[in-house]
Amino acid sequence: MDHFLYRDGLLHAEDVAIQDIAEQVGTPFYVYSTATLIRHFKLFDEALDGLDHLVCFAMKAASNQAILKTLGNLGAGMDVVSGGEYLRARAAGVPRERIVFSGVGKTRSEMHQALQGGVRQFNIESEPELHLLNEVALSLGRTAPITIRVNPDVDAKTHAKIATGKSENKFGIPISRARDVYAQAAQLKGLDIVGIDVHIGSQLTELEPFVAAYRKLAELTKTLRSDGHNIRRLDLGGGLGIPYTRSNEAPPLPTDYGAMVKRELGHLGCEIEIEPGRLIAGNAGLLVSSVIYVKSGEDREFLILDAAMNDLVRPAMYDAHHDIVPVIEPAAGTEQAVYDIVGPVCESGDTFAKGRHLVAQQQGDLVAFRSAGAYGAVMSSEYNTRPLIPEVLVNGDQFAVIRARPSYDDIINRDSLPDWL
Ligand code: LLP
């Protein structure tokens, strides 16, 4: 459930009409609902009630500090994957002891930065990383808390580009090698083994792949304990999917997921961490755009929007579906037109939807992309020298711009010319 509903014929974000934001901010823009963010965080938090747990928002999904602060104020931790995300989480006031550092390619300087600043744990993904972190920790006179991410070789049954738990993927160490790598880690004086980490992919729409992975994790916990390791924390990753269409999708709810976690892992007495991104932010955000032209092609109508693939890359990159709805509610029974919905960028991949049914549109009409709160603004670029679009946060009847649209000068002045030109 989200808080983007029609009221008096106009699409609202909570108590604010989208049209009012568009008038003040201009299009295109992203808009997020505070109530939806809070609701989704609490669903997870409550689903794990009774277990010692921490919900770490995977901030790669949506990293604006206003979003991080909204969640951080509720007690959320953050899952970060770069030095930039680490600093951003800290800037948003997230306490160091709630920041988990993930990622397959952490650099020496990122390790240095997080050890100096303080971190809950590093999730280690390879042997060379283990040794480098040990070296950096020793050089600072610190001990780095770690889990090792294991790759359970489980099919997450999701889009190939976002599946991470099969042996062919670059992530984690093969679970068959875990005992050996934990034994190595235990010898390294700069490291403190606190637990095990697993993450098998994103946009999972069934619980079964999680169950398969978590059973292997439970088994491994027992084995490693019997080897003498003090396994006290399990990081279960993120990945629970969301419905992208209103009609037929019904992925499991956080309550189902929480019950499954308790059933599969509760008896181990470990602290549980989860790293949801999409489920917290996805349906908490819209991308709002306006129609530049309605263009007739040979055999189809094109709806050319002012948003493009550089603003929301998911359809071009993963053939992802986003529902696209008019901002003015159509009267019941209004006839629909069929459009290819595209942006202005100079490549055919800049297509949001083909053969999409939508009430007839005219120049200047506003449309909203649903489920755009996760992996939307964070994946945008300035391709075609198109400025990054603003982000707006709504809270009840208030809204605020949480990232302003840069001017063309801001963009152009970032270039510098060499002496010889
Ligand atoms: N933890 C780790 C280690 C991850 O790699 C990810 C996502 C998450 C947690 C959060 O997963 P979530 O709960 O959001 O599914 N750009 C793609 C999704 C990439 C996901 C990458 N890793 C998309 O737009 O679909």
Side-chain angles (χ1 to χ4, degrees):
M1 196 205 115
D2 61 47
H3 292 76
F4 301 110
L5 299 172
Y6 290 109
R7 238 194 256 169
D8 305 324
L10 293 177
L11 187 64
H12 279 64
E14 303 187 22
D15 300 331
V16 180
I18 297 292
Q19 246 181 6
D20 293 346
I21 305 176
E23 269 162 31
Q24 286 193 40
V25 175
T27 58
F29 62 90
Y30 279 99
V31 56
Y32 307 97
S33 150
T34 300
T36 313
L37 288 167
I38 292 178
R39 180 182 139 77
H40 291 165
F41 171 78
K42 286 193 169 161
L43 279 176
F44 268 118
D45 204 30
E46 286 161 14
L48 295 177
D49 246 357
L51 292 177
D52 184 8
H53 69 274
L54 183 66
V55 179
C56 295
F57 176 57
M59 63 176 278
K60 61 169 79 66
S63 59
N64 191 290
Q65 288 174 63
I67 293 175
L68 305 186
K69 207 171 178 87
T70 300
L71 296 170
N73 284 349
L74 302 171
M78 295 294 151
D79 172 56
V80 310
V81 291
S82 68
E85 284 195 352
Y86 177 83
L87 291 178
R88 222 178 191 159
R90 297 290 289 135
V94 179
R96 49 177 72 84
E97 63 274 11
R98 285 201 238 134
I99 300 180
V100 169
F101 207 133
S102 298
V104 74
K106 299 175 204 78
T107 62
R108 180 187 290 273
S109 70
E110 287 173 326
M111 292 172 175
H112 197 276
Q113 180 188 46
L115 277 169
Q116 289 277 36
V119 70
R120 179 179 183 82
Q121 94 220 11
F122 292 91
N123 293 333
I124 299 296
E125 300 223 18
S126 66
E127 287 159 82
E129 188 193 351
L130 202 63
H131 290 281
L132 182 60
L133 181 62
N134 179 56
E135 189 187 313
V136 178
L138 290 176
S139 75
L140 290 170
R142 313 237 162 154
T143 311
I146 63 152
T147 71
I148 297 177
R149 175 169 174 182
V150 292
N151 184 324
D153 196 21
V154 162
D155 183 359
K157 298 189 187 150
T158 183
H159 190 285
K161 283 187 184 161
I162 54 175
T164 56
K166 286 289 284 173
S167 58
E168 72 225 38
N169 302 130
K170 68 182 173 185
F171 300 97
I173 58 153
I175 197 160
S176 56
R177 300 217 43 238
R179 287 179 84 176
D180 178 34
V181 180
Y182 271 85
Q184 281 184 51
Q187 298 303 313
L188 302 173
K189 299 276 177 286
L191 307 180
D192 173 28
I193 298 170
V194 298
I196 318 176
D197 172 43
V198 71
H199 170 79
I200 57 173
S202 192
Q203 186 55 17
L204 271 67
T205 51
E206 297 167 29
L207 284 185
E208 182 249 307
F210 288 113
V211 172
Y214 297 169
R215 288 198 176 150
K216 291 188 177 191
L217 196 63
E219 207 49 46
L220 182 62
T221 303
K222 291 179 200 152
T223 310
L224 293 177
R225 280 177 171 169
S226 68
D227 287 348
H229 303 289
N230 181 5
I231 303 298
R232 51 199 185 274
R233 190 179 286 169
L234 298 178
D235 183 332
L236 306 182
L240 197 56
I242 62 171
Y244 275 97
T245 56
R246 303 248 118 190
S247 44
N248 47 12
E249 280 178 276
L253 302 172
T255 41
D256 307 325
Y257 174 85
M260 179 273 290
V261 167
K262 287 178 196 170
R263 194 175 64 237
E264 299 296 333
L265 302 167
H267 61 286
L268 296 167
C270 285
E271 183 182 1
I272 298 291
E273 286 167 3
I274 55 168
E275 303 169 348
R278 191 190 309 267
L279 202 141
I280 290 182
N283 282 326
L286 302 178
L287 165 63
V288 180
S289 179
S290 56
V291 175
I292 308 180
Y293 299 117
V294 183
K295 171 175 171 173
S296 298
E298 180 87 71
D299 60 354
R300 64 192 69 208
E301 297 280 288
F302 293 102
L303 203 59
I304 304 180
L305 303 181
D306 62 358
M309 65 188 287
N310 69 298
D311 304 308
L312 178 68
V313 77
R314 300 193 71 259
M317 196 153 169
Y318 316 109
D319 298 316
H321 172 99
H322 285 265
D323 278 352
I324 301 172
V325 298
V327 163
I328 296 179
E329 186 175 23
T334 311
E335 216 173 294
Q336 297 202 318
V338 180
Y339 296 111
D340 278 12
I341 304 179
V342 302
V345 160
C346 306
E347 52 183 286
S348 301
D350 187 19
T351 297
F352 291 120
K354 285 196 165 153
R356 190 66 71 87
H357 292 253
L358 193 65
V359 285
Q361 297 288 303
Q362 296 181 351
Q363 276 180 24
D365 283 354
L366 293 175
V367 294
F369 290 68
R370 288 192 176 274
S371 317
Y375 307 110
V378 286
M379 292 182 77
S380 56
S381 76
E382 290 176 343
Y383 188 36
N384 284 206
T385 308
R386 293 168 48 86
L388 294 184
I389 65 178
E391 294 181 282
V392 172
L393 183 64
V394 168
N395 184 19
D397 61 0
Q398 321 172 60
F399 72 90
V401 173
I402 57 173
R403 180 178 78 187
R405 195 188 307 274
S407 70
Y408 286 120
D409 280 348
D410 292 336
I411 299 174
I412 292 163
N413 292 336
R414 281 206 312 261
D415 297 351
S416 51
L417 293 174
D419 293 346
W420 64 85
L421 287 177

